Amino acid sequence: MTGKLPSLPAASELVLARGTSLCSDETIVNCPSAHPVGLEVIVSSFEFFKRFAAVCSPLVQLSRNGIRMWRPVNLRARQRVRRGAVAVGSERLEQRTLLAGNVTAAVVSGDLIVQGDDADNVVDLFTSENGNIVLRGLDGTSINGETEFVPDDGIPEISGDLQILLADGDDTLTINGIQIADSLQIEDDAGDNTLMIQSCATGANYWIQYGAGDDVITVSDSTAGRHFFLNPSGGENVLLTERIQVSGDTLFQGGDQTDSLIFSASNFSDDLLVSSGAGSDFLFVGPSEEGETSTVIDNDVQMRTGDGDDDVVFRGPNVFGGITILTSAAGTNRTQIESGNEFASEPQRSGFSSDSIPSTETDQVVSAVLTRVSDVQPPQILPPPLSLDLSANATTPSSNTLVTRNADFVIAGTTAAGAVITIDSDGDGEFDDGTTGTDEAGQFSSIVTLTNTSENKGVNTIQVKSSLDGAETIESLDVHLAEGTVLRFASSLGTFDVELLDEDAPQTVTAFLADLSRNDNSIIHRSVDNFVIQGGGFSVSDHDTTPPVVSRITPFSAPPNEFALADNSNVRGTLSTAQVGGNINSFTGQYFLNTVDNLFLDAIPHTVFGNVIGSGMDVVDAINRLPEFNLVSDFGQTALTDVPLQNYADTSVPAGHDNFVIFESISVLLPDAVADDGSDELDVDEDQI
C-alpha cells in the first residue's frame, strides 16, 4: 500500500522545515539522518496538515523509531474513520481470545500487551513498593481472571512497547510511574472514558486514540522521548497536560463536539500542532493554577479550530520559539493573548474576531475543566489494614511508650495478604531496617534491634509500613530499651518514669535506691521556671491539719560525685544530684529534674543519674509551670522560698495539704538486670543545688 500526498498548496503557502523530504512519487519515506523527515509542516491555512493526516492515516505506525518512520500497515479491524473528522488510523493490536475476566495481559518480546472487553473496565498500571510493575483491576475488573498481573514475576520497566487496547464501555485507565523503553500506544473504543498518566517516561512516542464518547485525558509529570500524538474522536473531550516534556512533535486531533485543551507548565521541544474540529472549543496555553511555571514551545505552533464558537487563550508566562499560526473556520471565534507571552514572531491569526476574552471568563472555563477532571478521579486503592502484635515481648507501659529489656524486639501483626512489610527502627526515615512478607492470612513477624546509647538514651521510635499495589499504611510506636533500674514517680499532678544510670553512676544510684520509702509523701519544694524542679528534701503530713506539717526528710550518707565516670550532661529531661554549694560530694537524697538544658551545671559538677522516659516530661513541665510561693514564715523551713503550689491564690491563708505537689511514692517499676540489694542506714546533711 502506498500513500499519495494530496495536491500541494502553492509554494508561497508552504514551508517545509528542517529537511522534510517529498519524494518524486509523493510517498513519505524515512530519510537519512542527515535529512531527518518530520511533521514540521507549517501551512498558513492549515489545510495541508489536515489533508496530510488524512492520507497518511493508514500508513501511520508509531514504533520505537517514532513518528518520523512511516510504513504501510494492514489494519486488522475496521479503519476508524468518522464523518466530519480527520481520519487517523494505526495498526491495531492483534486480536486475541480473552482469558477469564475483563482484561488480558501478557509480555510478548518485551512488549506489555493489554486488551479489554466491552465492560466498564477500571485498570491501574503502576510501579509497586518493591519496584515491580503491577497491572491491577479495580471495581470488579479482573486481569487474566485474577485481581492483578505482575509481568514475569517482577520487572522494573517495560523493555519494549506498552500497548493497551480497550473496547466499548466506560473505561478508566491510570498509568503511574511506569518507565517504557519504546512507545506507549493506547486505543479505546466508544464510551465515556478516563485516562490518567502520571510520572511516566517513554524512550519514543505516546500514541493515544479514543473513540466516540466524552473522554477526560490528563497527562502530568511525564516525558516523551520523541513524539506525542492524541486523537479523541467524538464527544465532549477534555485534555489536560501539566509539567510534561516532549522531545519531538506534539499533535492533537479533536472531534466534532466541544473539546477543551489545557497545556500547562510543559516543554515542547518541537512543534505543537492542534486541530480541534467542529464544536465550540476552548484552547488554553498557560498555568492551570497559580504558581505553575511557563510553557515553552521551542519551535512552531499551529492551531486550527473548526466550525463553532471557539476561544484560544495564551496566558503568560509562555515562550513561543517559532512561527505561531491561529486559524478558524465558521463561528464566532475569539483569541486572547495576555501579557507575559514571548513570541519569536508576531502571531498570525485568521478567522478570529477582534473580541477579547475577559480574564474572569477564562478563569471560569479553566476552573470548570479542572472540576471535570477532579470529578472523574479513578477509584482509590484503599491502604492495606495493619495491626501490630507485640505480645512476644516483655513490655511495661509508660508515658506514651513501652519499656522493655528486649534488645531483640519482635514486630508481628496482620495486614493484607501479599503486602510487603518494611521497618524503620533507627529514626532516619528510611524503611531499611527490616523487610518481610506475609503468609496467606496476611500475618507477618520480624525482629528489630533496639539500642540504648548516649545519643538516643534508650528511645526507639519504630515505624512499620505495609505496602500493597502502590498504597501503604504506616503504624508507629515508641519503645524504650531500659538497661538500668526504672523508677515510677507517682505525683499528685501525674505519673512519670525515670531510667536510672546504674552503670554510669553506680554509687549514686545505689544510695538513692537504698530506701525509696523515704520519699513517700515528699513534695517538690523548689521550682524555678525554665530551670529545674527539686524534691527529696521535705515531706508533708497531717492531711486534716491547717497548716499541715512539713518535715525535713532524713538525708543519707553522701556517695562520691560520679559525674566524671560517664560525663552525662545536665540536659532537659535528666535527673541529677542536688548538692551543698562548694561541696560536690554532698548528695544526700535531694534531687532535681532539668526542665531545660543546664550545661553550666556540668562545670560544678552535678552528677546525672537518670533520664525521664517517654512523654513523662509533660508532668514535670506542668509542675514547673505552677506559680511559686515563699512559705518560709508559714512552715519555718528556710529552704521553702520557691515552692510550687496548685489551686492556691489567697496568700493570707497558709497553704493546705492539697496545694502541694506531693509524691505518693517513688517505686521500682523494673529492677536493674544486675541489682544490688544492699542498703544502709546513713546519717546525712541538708542538701541544695
Side-chain angles (χ1 to χ4, degrees):
M1 179 178 179
T2 302
K4 296 293 185 179
L5 283 174
S7 299
L8 297 177
S12 60
E13 300 178 17
L14 175 62
V15 178
L16 297 178
R18 292 183 296 284
T20 301
S21 175
L22 301 179
C23 299
S24 59
D25 62 355
E26 298 182 297
T27 301
I28 300 295
V29 298
N30 189 36
C31 296
S33 58
H35 302 283
V37 65
L39 294 183
E40 305 90 341
V41 180
I42 306 302
V43 185
S44 61
S45 67
F46 207 83
E47 284 302 314
F48 178 70
F49 169 69
K50 183 175 180 180
R51 285 176 283 154
F52 177 85
V55 168
C56 291
S57 61
L59 302 178
V60 175
Q61 170 62 41
L62 290 185
S63 69
R64 66 198 64 185
N65 293 316
I67 290 179
R68 288 185 172 87
M69 174 170 284
W70 303 76
R71 65 179 177 84
V73 296
N74 294 321
L75 301 185
R76 290 189 171 90
R78 66 188 185 279
Q79 187 168 327
R80 304 173 61 83
V81 181
R82 291 181 172 82
R83 183 182 302 274
V86 174
V88 179
S90 72
E91 181 176 18
R92 266 189 178 265
L93 303 176
E94 179 182 351
Q95 295 292 333
R96 301 172 184 268
T97 301
L98 290 177
L99 302 178
N102 305 113
V103 174
T104 183
V107 175
V108 180
S109 301
D111 299 336
L112 175 56
I113 302 175
V114 180
Q115 292 181 275
D117 61 12
D118 289 336
D120 297 340
N121 293 308
V122 182
V123 180
D124 188 20
L125 180 65
F126 60 93
T127 301
S128 66
E129 178 71 22
N130 58 15
N132 292 328
I133 291 173
V134 177
L135 184 69
R136 180 171 183 172
L138 301 172
D139 279 8
T141 300
S142 62
I143 312 292
N144 294 343
E146 305 291 340
T147 57
E148 65 181 35
F149 169 69
V150 180
D152 295 338
D153 295 325
I155 56 174
E157 66 176 22
I158 298 171
S159 60
D161 296 326
L162 170 58
Q163 303 179 15
I164 300 176
L165 174 62
L166 301 176
D168 294 339
D170 299 337
D171 300 318
T172 298
L173 172 62
T174 59
I175 305 175
N176 193 342
I178 302 298
Q179 305 296 308
I180 305 165
D182 292 330
S183 293
L184 168 62
Q185 305 175 31
I186 301 173
E187 184 172 356
D188 202 332
D189 284 346
D192 297 336
N193 303 303
T194 299
L195 170 64
M196 296 187 176
I197 300 174
Q198 183 176 12
S199 303
C200 294
T202 67
N205 310 295
Y206 285 69
W207 188 94
I208 302 168
Q209 181 170 344
Y210 273 66
D214 300 336
D215 303 319
V216 176
I217 299 171
T218 64
V219 185
S220 61
D221 303 297
S222 298
T223 60
R226 299 202 68 183
H227 308 289
F228 188 103
F229 181 84
L230 176 62
N231 174 219
S233 298
E236 298 184 357
N237 305 302
V238 164
L239 168 65
L240 172 63
T241 67
E242 296 179 304
R243 300 173 302 279
I244 72 169
Q245 297 186 33
V246 182
S247 297
D249 299 305
T250 299
L251 299 94
F252 175 88
Q253 175 67 53
D256 288 342
Q257 298 186 43
T258 299
D259 295 321
S260 299
L261 286 72
I262 295 179
F263 300 96
S264 173
S266 298
N267 192 311
F268 302 96
S269 298
D270 219 315
D271 300 330
L272 174 61
L273 307 175
V274 177
S275 177
S276 63
S280 297
D281 302 316
F282 177 75
L283 311 182
F284 179 88
V285 180
S288 59
E289 58 185 35
E290 187 175 353
E292 287 281 18
T293 58
S294 60
T295 291
V296 178
I297 303 152
D298 290 340
N299 290 320
D300 303 314
V301 175
Q302 188 154 253
M303 294 185 175
R304 182 188 189 279
T305 64
D307 295 341
D309 300 334
D310 305 314
D311 289 339
V312 177
V313 179
F314 293 164
R315 171 172 288 177
N318 300 304
V319 178
F320 299 84
I323 300 170
T324 301
I325 299 175
L326 308 176
T327 62
S328 184
T332 302
N333 307 302
R334 301 179 297 175
T335 62
Q336 179 68 36
I337 299 178
E338 299 183 4
S339 61
N341 291 286
E342 298 180 19
F343 293 94
S345 60
E346 186 68 20
Q348 303 175 35
R349 286 178 273 193
S350 174
F352 288 91
S353 68
S354 60
D355 296 338
S356 62
I357 305 171
S359 179
T360 54
E361 184 178 337
T362 298
D363 292 341
Q364 291 174 355
V365 178
V366 171
S367 177
V369 171
L370 297 179
T371 298
R372 185 174 169 191
V373 169
S374 64
D375 287 344
V376 296
Q377 291 295 319
Q380 297 297 310
I381 299 176
L382 296 177
L386 176 61
S387 61
L388 301 182
D389 179 4
L390 308 178
S391 60
N393 310 284
T395 62
T396 300
S398 185
S399 302
N400 293 315
T401 191
L402 295 174
V403 180
T404 186
R405 295 210 184 278
N406 300 125
D408 292 333
F409 198 78
V410 179
I411 304 290
T414 304
T415 185
V420 175
I421 299 295
T422 52
I423 300 174
D424 169 27
S425 62
D426 57 12
D428 64 357
E430 300 292 333
F431 288 82
D432 55 2
D433 302 316
T435 301
T436 187
T438 63
D439 62 17
E440 293 181 354
Q443 296 180 340
F444 64 90
S445 180
S446 183
I447 296 177
V448 298
T449 301
L450 306 181
T451 61
N452 187 321
T453 67
S454 58
E455 288 76 24
N456 75 351
K457 297 181 180 179
V459 178
N460 294 266
T461 297
I462 302 172
Q463 294 191 94
V464 182
K465 178 164 63 176
S466 173
S467 303
L468 180 66
D469 299 338
E472 60 186 37
T473 301
I474 298 177
E475 290 287 344
S476 298
L477 66 149
D478 289 326
V479 182
H480 185 96
L481 177 63
E483 296 180 343
T485 303
V486 177
L487 298 183
R488 174 151 291 177
F489 288 63
S491 83
S492 55
L493 257 68
T495 297
F496 61 91
D497 300 329
V498 174
E499 181 187 3
L500 301 183
L501 304 178
D502 298 71
E503 292 188 7
D504 292 352
Q507 295 187 69
T508 303
V509 169
T510 297
F512 193 76
L513 291 175
D515 182 15
L516 288 176
S517 64
R518 62 190 297 278
N519 293 288
D520 293 352
N521 298 312
S522 64
I523 64 172
I524 294 296
H525 68 270
R526 184 184 183 205
S527 176
V528 180
D529 189 34
N530 290 319
F531 180 35
V532 299
I533 63 169
Q534 183 175 340
F538 299 88
S539 64
V540 62
S541 59
D542 295 335
H543 182 279
D544 297 328
T545 302
T546 302
V549 176
V550 175
S551 305
R552 192 190 316 274
I553 297 174
T554 302
F556 52 64
S557 182
N561 189 290
E562 295 180 294
F563 180 85
L565 289 181
D567 198 26
N568 291 304
S569 291
N570 283 269
V571 295
R572 171 176 165 81
T574 53
L575 174 68
S576 193
T577 58
Q579 301 158 181
V580 176
N583 182 3
I584 66 171
N585 298 308
S586 58
F587 169 56
T588 57
Q590 290 192 38
Y591 60 85
F592 64 90
L593 290 142
N594 288 290
T595 62
V596 296
D597 291 348
N598 294 312
L599 300 184
F600 72 94
L601 297 178
D602 296 349
I604 295 176
H606 291 268
T607 301
V608 172
F609 66 103
N611 294 304
V612 176
I613 292 173
S615 60
M617 284 301 293
D618 291 348
V619 177
V620 176
D621 291 337
I623 298 172
N624 194 225
R625 287 193 296 266
L626 291 174
E628 304 98 21
F629 297 88
N630 189 322
L631 304 182
V632 173
S633 60
D634 290 339
F635 296 95
Q637 301 287 354
T638 59
L640 304 184
T641 58
D642 300 286
V643 182
L645 297 178
Q646 53 185 327
N647 304 318
Y648 180 70
D650 186 0
T651 57
S652 64
V653 178
H657 178 279
D658 293 341
N659 297 129
F660 288 94
V661 178
I662 302 174
F663 284 97
E664 177 183 345
S665 65
I666 300 177
S667 59
V668 174
L669 186 66
L670 289 177
D672 182 28
V674 184
D676 182 357
D677 295 330
S679 61
D680 297 301
E681 296 294 333
L682 304 173
D683 295 327
V684 294
D685 296 325
E686 180 178 348
D687 309 313
Q688 283 193 348
I689 293 179

